[in-house]
Structures are given as C-alpha cells and as structure tokens.
Amino acid sequence: MRILDWLASSFSNRSKALSLYRRGMAKAKKHNHQGALEDYTTMIGMTSTPSDLLAMVLYNRALVYVATGDEPKGAADLGAVLAMNEALVNVKTMARQKLARMESRASKG
C-alpha cells in the first residue's frame, strides 16, 4: 500500500508544480530566460498550484523579467507576491527588498 501512496503522491499537483519550478530554476541558472519564463508561467497558470509555491514562482519569474530588462512585469509579479496572504514571510521579505532596490535604482537613473 505504501508504494501506491508514493506513486499517487508523485503525480500530485504539488509534485507537478515542484517539477516545473525546479526546471524553471535550472533554466534560469543557465541564462535560458525564455525557457524559465515559459516554465514559470505554465506553473502560474495551473489552477491547482499550492499558494506557497505560487508565491515562490512569482518571485522567481519577477527576477527573470528584471534580468531581461522587463522591470514593469517584474514589479507586477513582486506586487502580486506582496498581495498574497498565503505567501511565506521570507518570500514576501525578498519581494519587498527587490522592489526597494528597483525603486532606488530607478530614482538614481
């Protein structure tokens, strides 16, 4: 019975979302920004993505948008993280810090 439980959990929504998240992170590390954006956006579009993972993927997609020069989309994703009640505190903190750095850089430029 444990094997069946393990198999069922490996195909769970969380497992699928984590797989996309990890794949997106690997692509972002290799500077495959388009591939990372596609994986992150797919995960965001999944209706059953757990809220804690959704916050993390929005944050990571924001980082990729900023890295590609699309700061408005990055800021929108960071704002979405901050608006989520279910987001983990550390993810919200990182989003707030990133937005502050972006605003500081914009005011200097």
Side-chain angles (χ1 to χ4, degrees):
M1 190 68 142
R2 288 184 188 187
I3 293 174
L4 291 177
D5 291 341
W6 177 80
L7 281 172
S9 70
S10 69
F11 293 107
S12 72
N13 293 329
R14 185 173 190 82
S15 178
K16 290 175 189 173
L18 273 171
S19 177
L20 276 170
Y21 177 69
R22 289 180 183 130
R23 192 171 74 184
M25 286 181 57
K27 289 177 181 178
K29 257 186 182 175
K30 293 179 180 179
H31 301 284
N32 177 358
H33 296 128
Q34 188 58 43
L37 288 172
E38 289 170 5
D39 287 344
Y40 292 153
T41 301
T42 298
M43 186 179 157
I44 291 166
M46 292 170 53
T47 57
S48 56
T49 299
S51 298
D52 60 328
L53 292 179
L54 182 59
M56 292 183 338
V57 79
L58 280 166
Y59 175 77
N60 280 293
R61 188 174 74 169
L63 297 180
V64 174
Y65 277 138
V66 171
T68 61
D70 197 342
E71 289 198 10
K73 285 184 180 178
D77 278 355
L78 293 171
V81 170
L82 294 175
M84 293 178 70
N85 292 330
E86 306 85 4
L88 298 173
V89 173
N90 65 327
V91 177
K92 280 188 165 186
T93 299
M94 291 185 304
R96 194 174 300 109
Q97 290 170 344
K98 182 63 177 176
L99 271 174
R101 286 191 303 270
M102 290 168 60
E103 291 169 1
S104 175
R105 192 173 42 237
S107 68
K108 290 179 185 177

